[in-house]
Amino acid sequence: MAMAIKTMRSIVASASNAAGASTTSGIWSLNTALGGVLQARVTNGAVAPTIGCDVVVQASADQTNWRDFARFSAGTVANATYDFFAELPAPILAVRVVFSGNTVQAVQIEATGHELSSIG
């Protein structure tokens, strides 16, 4: 029976994204992986933003030119947590995540990768 090898990747450690600011993750290279799933989380504070935070998953073949792969928008409910998932197929070489667009209030953000490293 084949055994799957999976690896957890920290893409963005829990951090605050200030109102009007943008946070871009480091690069998650999938060159030697068989794909994966990206999990992003946005948590509003006791006073929610008037416009929710956007989560944009970008893909690149050369780690220089980035294209939007998936886009999600968190809501504007106070103290609410929004989880988003993007499945990354095997052909993708690299991804990064951009959190931006929240207005008036900061939000808490984080992203984790679930990488399928190999099947053996």
Side-chain angles (χ1 to χ4, degrees):
M1 175 182 239
M3 187 162 101
I5 307 299
K6 302 172 187 177
T7 306
M8 191 280 285
R9 303 286 183 202
S10 178
I11 310 302
V12 175
S14 183
S16 178
N17 190 67
S22 180
T23 299
T24 302
S25 76
I27 296 169
W28 176 16
S29 174
L30 294 162
N31 266 346
T32 60
L34 300 172
V37 173
L38 184 123
Q39 173 185 345
R41 173 174 278 186
V42 176
T43 303
N44 294 337
V47 178
T50 54
I51 297 176
C53 184
D54 285 336
V55 179
V56 181
V57 181
Q58 297 180 324
S60 175
D62 60 9
Q63 298 186 11
T64 301
N65 298 296
W66 295 94
R67 305 289 184 263
D68 291 358
F69 178 76
R71 177 181 294 269
F72 309 97
S73 295
T76 57
V77 175
N79 294 317
T81 297
Y82 300 90
D83 287 312
F84 306 103
F85 294 84
E87 184 173 358
L88 307 172
I92 288 185
L93 295 173
V95 296
R96 70 181 184 183
V97 184
V98 180
F99 294 89
S100 65
N102 50 295
T103 60
V104 181
Q105 297 296 325
V107 296
Q108 199 69 17
I109 59 169
E110 66 180 90
T112 304
H114 307 264
E115 182 178 294
L116 179 56
S117 302
S118 65
I119 298 176

